[in-house]
Amino acid sequence: MFQLDVHAIISIIIYLIAIGLAFQAMKAVQLEKIVRKGRIFETQLLYLFGAIALGFLVGNFVITFIDTSMQLSNLF
């Protein structure tokens, strides 16, 4: 049971770090050229949702990679 608790905490931390890094990376994209002028709130919302989506995908990859690499010890 303790192992599941630690795994959940580590997963949350990985997701938050990945979302934060994705948000920093999304700042480099100029969405203002794509979105209509005067739509500041919608543009910020698009940045936020894009960062969450990208951070979730990256975090999910990292967590799956860690879980899979830990299961490799069962082979030997």
Side-chain angles (χ1 to χ4, degrees):
M1 194 64 155
F2 177 73
Q3 187 177 6
L4 290 175
D5 295 339
V6 172
H7 187 272
I9 291 172
I10 291 173
S11 296
I12 290 172
I13 292 171
I14 289 173
Y15 280 129
L16 290 176
I17 290 172
I19 290 172
L21 291 173
F23 188 74
Q24 290 295 322
M26 289 288 291
K27 287 182 181 179
V29 178
Q30 294 181 351
L31 290 178
E32 294 84 13
K33 293 182 178 180
I34 299 171
V35 180
R36 284 190 250 158
K37 294 184 184 207
R39 301 286 187 162
I40 297 169
F41 177 72
E42 288 84 356
T43 306
Q44 291 174 346
L45 203 58
L46 188 59
Y47 275 121
L48 180 66
F49 287 157
I52 290 171
L54 184 61
F56 174 77
L57 290 172
V58 171
N60 200 19
F61 170 76
V62 171
I63 291 168
T64 305
F65 186 79
I66 291 171
D67 288 343
T68 305
S69 64
M70 290 177 66
Q71 290 175 359
L72 284 177
S73 64
N74 295 337
L75 288 175
F76 304 108

